[in-house]
Amino acid sequence: MRAVTVIPGVAGSLRLLDDYPEPATEEGSILVEALAVGICGTDIEIIEGLYGEAPPGIDHLVLGHESLGRVVEDPTGTLQPGDLVAGIVRHPDPLPCPNCAVDEWDMCRNGMFTEHGIKALPGFARQRWRLQPRFAVGLDPELVEVGVLLEPTSVVVKAWDHIDRIGRRAEWQPRTALVTGAGPIGLLAALLASQRGLSVHVLDLVTEGPKPALAGALGATYHSGPLDQLGFEPDVIVECTGAPRVVLESMYRVAPTGIVCLAGVSSGGRTIDLDAGELNRTLVLENNVVFGSVNANRRHWDAAAEALARADHAWLSSLITRRVPLSDYAAAYSPGPQDIKVVLDFTA
Ligand code: BGC
């Protein structure tokens, strides 16, 4: 069967193999036929040789951690043939650490977790894959066009879950949320903020293309100026750019008792001047919290499936700016300036 692979650590090693072996039954009892795989910055980093790890004993890694497929067979009866399904990205570490021991693998403490298409587990960019029932998330059949957004949605569901938990340290009635960065993670974070009834603001550099209207369709206010000219202090900031200046500015601009969730991964290597004392003073005297958030556990994936089912499917569909047939796979990994989410289409 066909599979998109790379050799981790080797830039330019992206390939479409025709003779990749069928998934081994040890991978799980649920056999799935791939429909689509979403592409994100992590895939690009892996292709550039900067990230990623092959499964033990082999040199290549099948890409793809944002999955959507259709169940072919499930002898356990958890799902039915024809059901839409997505695979949970992260598997717990083998020890396991205290968090993985209670299935909170998104909070793994020893770094020995594995991730489909990223770290030591083959990804979903292959025509067929297998899942164990505990890592298989069923989706509403109406989500066939947009269910591939489940993985990035699970990531922002986890971010909001932790914002809520942190908020409960005291009386907490947030009214305003700012999302920085109107890429797929940012827009999905804004969708969840609007589903919570918050007054939502989205900030991004671009003034053209689909982003301002997509934010507007959520009822959010779109800003393209600098963060220090926002004109108000948000109760919550979900930072999705990873841009060092925006990250720092978010910490200064959040309202007293506010929460800043860092959900964007910076590339690193750039330094900027910072008055660490002043930042410390702001955070301490205002009881602010800044925290990082990555990945998601089963609870978040199930809640993400519900959030997608509740959302406007036409709005979700317009986040997918390009669907690239598998045969043209390399084009899918070169996002254009107007792209939000690019998807590899296994049905074309
Ligand atoms: C994925 C996460 C993963 C992270 C780190 C992100 O692109 O969405 O599931 O944990 O990369 O590998």
Side-chain angles (χ1 to χ4, degrees):
M1 68 174 176
R2 295 197 289 174
V4 181
T5 66
V6 292
I7 301 176
V10 180
S13 61
L14 180 69
R15 299 280 180 277
L16 177 63
L17 302 185
D18 282 328
D19 53 357
Y20 194 81
E22 291 293 325
T25 42
E26 295 76 57
E27 288 185 39
S29 51
I30 306 179
L31 178 64
V32 182
E33 190 171 38
L35 294 178
V37 161
I39 289 157
C40 84
T42 301
D43 298 296
I44 309 295
E45 275 191 38
I46 297 172
I47 291 168
E48 289 173 351
L50 305 172
Y51 196 58
E53 184 184 320
I58 51 177
D59 63 353
H60 63 268
L61 171 74
V62 178
L63 279 180
H65 59 279
E66 301 184 7
S67 62
L68 182 69
R70 215 178 261 296
V71 174
V72 176
E73 62 182 31
D74 178 5
T76 67
T78 314
L79 292 167
Q80 301 304 313
D83 281 356
L84 287 183
V85 65
I88 289 181
V89 174
R90 190 176 284 193
H91 286 211
D93 78 76
L95 268 181
C97 78
N99 288 346
C100 286
V102 294
D103 286 351
E104 300 231 349
W105 47 69
D106 55 316
M107 300 296 285
C108 180
R109 292 181 62 178
N110 60 24
M112 289 164 65
F113 61 83
T114 52
E115 290 181 338
H116 282 288
I118 301 176
K119 186 174 183 283
L121 281 182
F124 302 112
R126 44 183 167 152
Q127 288 180 297
R128 283 169 290 284
W129 26 276
R130 283 182 173 274
L131 293 172
Q132 300 166 31
R134 65 193 281 236
F135 299 114
V137 185
L139 286 113
D140 184 324
E142 296 204 346
L143 291 170
V144 64
E145 294 296 319
V146 294
V148 70
L149 297 172
L150 186 63
E151 194 276 345
T153 307
S154 74
V155 166
V156 291
V157 165
K158 185 242 176 113
W160 276 107
D161 174 38
H162 284 212
I163 290 166
D164 288 343
R165 285 162 185 253
I166 293 166
R168 285 199 291 272
R169 72 196 160 136
E171 181 62 22
W172 173 240
Q173 293 179 12
R175 285 187 298 117
T176 52
L178 170 70
V179 176
T180 53
I185 289 283
L187 287 167
L188 289 167
L191 167 73
L192 296 189
S194 73
Q195 286 185 344
R196 282 150 186 269
L198 293 169
S199 163
V200 188
H201 296 255
V202 174
L203 182 139
D204 194 290
L205 280 177
V206 306
T207 50
E208 288 175 4
K211 292 178 177 178
L214 282 166
L218 294 174
T221 308
Y222 191 84
H223 305 260
S224 55
L227 189 41
D228 59 3
Q229 284 168 29
L230 197 63
F232 73 101
E233 295 187 324
D235 297 322
V236 178
I237 300 182
V238 186
E239 203 304 297
C240 303
T241 69
R245 287 236 168 265
V246 184
V247 170
L248 265 183
E249 230 15 84
S250 300
M251 300 183 197
Y252 283 116
R253 298 295 151 196
V254 76
T257 78
I259 300 174
V260 179
C261 170
L262 303 180
V265 185
S266 307
S267 47
R270 260 185 298 161
T271 54
I272 52 177
D273 280 341
L274 157 72
D275 183 343
E278 193 207 345
L279 178 59
N280 166 278
R281 191 180 161 80
T282 308
L283 296 177
V284 171
L285 294 182
E286 296 189 350
N287 282 298
N288 295 336
V289 174
V290 179
F291 78 101
S293 181
V294 72
N295 201 257
N297 65 44
R298 172 93 213 195
R299 224 164 8 92
H300 305 127
W301 282 80
D302 289 334
E306 283 168 31
L308 285 186
R310 267 204 314 279
D312 175 351
H313 294 184
W315 183 87
L316 291 172
S317 187
S318 45
L319 296 186
I320 301 176
T321 44
R322 240 168 359 117
R323 293 178 193 268
V324 179
L326 182 58
S327 53
D328 200 15
Y329 71 104
Y333 294 96
S334 306
Q338 301 287 332
D339 274 324
I340 297 179
K341 175 60 70 186
V342 179
V343 161
L344 251 188
D345 184 349
F346 280 74
T347 66

